[in-house]
Amino acid sequence: MQATEIIGIVPAAGKGRRLAPYPLPKELFPIGYQLIEVDGQLQKRPKVVSQYLIEALVVVGLSRLFIVINPEKLEIVEYYRNGELYGVPIAYIVQSEPKGMPYAIDLVTPWLKGHETVLMGMPDTIFEPRDAFKRLLAAHQAWNADVTLGLFKTESPQKFGMIGIDANYNVVEHVDKPQTTHLKWLWGIACWGPSFMTFLHDVLETRGADIAKCKGREVVLGDIFDVALESGLRIKGLPFEDGYYIDVGTYEDLKQAVLLYT
């Protein structure tokens, strides 16, 4: 079925232990500022890290935004509420068990109609260019791909899922958090259609437990990409040569983001 509706999915159910003892969800860590009208005047107020992602998604023209949280992150609901201030209806889904990002994303499945195009990003990241999702969606539609990944350069491959592409932007290789690698692109944002949403659900249902047992860890989204490549799904990669990507999940990266956006 042709995708006709653009939705956003933000998986925010992780525990965020790497920034302990910060008492709030890491997605609400203040980085940089925003201008807010107070008594008729624009004034600077703190801006939380996940707001950069929300704003980048909203400008694409989403019809709906799903934020997946765990039961301890109700502050995110209080902060974003129904999404009215951000121009998009926001729904919240609770992941009761910490089973990993693919399972968090799959919780959205019962709420879909089967024709949606999904835009997905991580709420503890900041990236440029700001129009990355617009460019990603346009490329995805032009390529008629099952999945299109937004790619950014990094000097810390051990922190990310690393991607290799050919001359036609086909993803030909994926390695999760390698200590050393010839790959230079991390995948940071993603776009996919109904076929991949169904594929993800089916893989988790039939092979999720086996993948976790084989890897000795929880299933990550890169594992689903690996199975998709093996199964012949068309995965494309769009490099952002002019971009950068910061994951604020660790203190050093958090410090970099705070200094950059001060």
Side-chain angles (χ1 to χ4, degrees):
M1 184 180 296
Q2 185 178 3
T4 59
E5 183 181 359
I6 312 299
I7 68 165
I9 297 179
V10 176
K15 292 293 187 179
R17 295 188 179 94
R18 292 180 297 173
L19 290 181
Y22 182 63
L24 296 177
K26 63 180 178 179
E27 294 83 2
L28 298 184
F29 198 97
I31 294 179
Y33 299 90
Q34 57 185 322
L35 293 176
I36 300 293
E37 186 173 334
V38 180
D39 297 328
Q41 294 184 337
L42 291 178
Q43 298 185 14
K44 282 187 173 181
R45 291 292 186 269
K47 185 173 182 176
V48 302
V49 61
S50 55
Q51 198 170 330
Y52 291 91
L53 173 67
I54 301 297
E55 291 173 355
L57 283 166
V58 167
V59 297
V60 179
L62 303 181
S63 63
R64 291 175 289 160
L65 176 62
F66 295 91
I67 302 179
V68 185
I69 61 174
N70 69 45
E72 300 173 2
K73 288 190 171 182
L74 296 181
E75 293 92 345
I76 294 177
V77 181
E78 183 177 354
Y79 188 85
Y80 289 110
R81 305 201 175 189
N82 66 357
E84 183 178 6
L85 293 178
Y86 302 91
V88 62
I90 296 179
Y92 301 89
I93 299 177
V94 177
Q95 184 180 34
S96 299
E97 299 179 47
K99 297 180 67 175
M101 186 187 299
Y103 288 96
I105 292 170
D106 187 47
L107 290 174
V108 180
T109 298
W111 303 96
L112 302 183
K113 303 170 186 176
H115 61 252
E116 294 88 350
T117 292
V118 173
L119 293 172
M120 192 280 295
M122 273 70 78
D124 56 353
T125 63
I126 301 176
F127 53 84
E128 292 284 352
R130 285 284 85 197
D131 66 346
F133 276 116
K134 278 190 173 183
R135 291 158 64 175
L136 187 73
L137 177 61
H140 178 77
Q141 293 173 335
W143 285 328
N144 193 29
D146 293 301
V147 180
T148 304
L149 303 176
L151 308 181
F152 304 82
K153 290 182 179 177
T154 181
E155 296 180 357
S156 304
Q158 71 277 6
K159 297 180 180 179
F160 303 103
M162 301 300 295
I163 296 293
I165 55 175
D166 64 17
N168 295 315
Y169 304 102
N170 296 302
V171 172
V172 295
E173 187 175 0
H174 165 260
V175 183
D176 190 57
K177 298 181 179 179
Q179 290 301 310
T180 59
T181 181
H182 66 283
L183 303 174
K184 67 177 183 179
W185 297 105
L186 67 87
W187 78 266
I189 59 177
C191 177
W192 61 72
S195 61
F196 182 74
M197 200 69 191
T198 299
F199 181 86
L200 179 145
H201 176 78
D202 291 344
V203 170
L204 293 177
E205 286 283 305
T206 61
R207 300 177 57 181
D210 290 337
I211 292 173
K213 183 177 180 180
C214 178
K215 299 288 186 178
R217 54 161 171 73
E218 68 181 23
V219 180
V220 299
L221 192 52
D223 296 327
I224 310 300
F225 294 154
D226 290 339
V227 180
L229 286 171
E230 294 168 4
S231 301
L233 270 66
R234 297 182 67 246
I235 303 183
K236 293 280 192 173
L238 179 65
F240 293 108
E241 293 278 0
D242 56 341
Y244 63 80
Y245 188 89
I246 304 174
D247 176 355
V248 303
T250 66
Y251 171 72
E252 288 301 321
D253 294 321
L254 179 63
K255 182 171 67 174
Q256 177 188 359
V258 169
L259 292 174
L260 185 62
Y261 285 84
T262 297

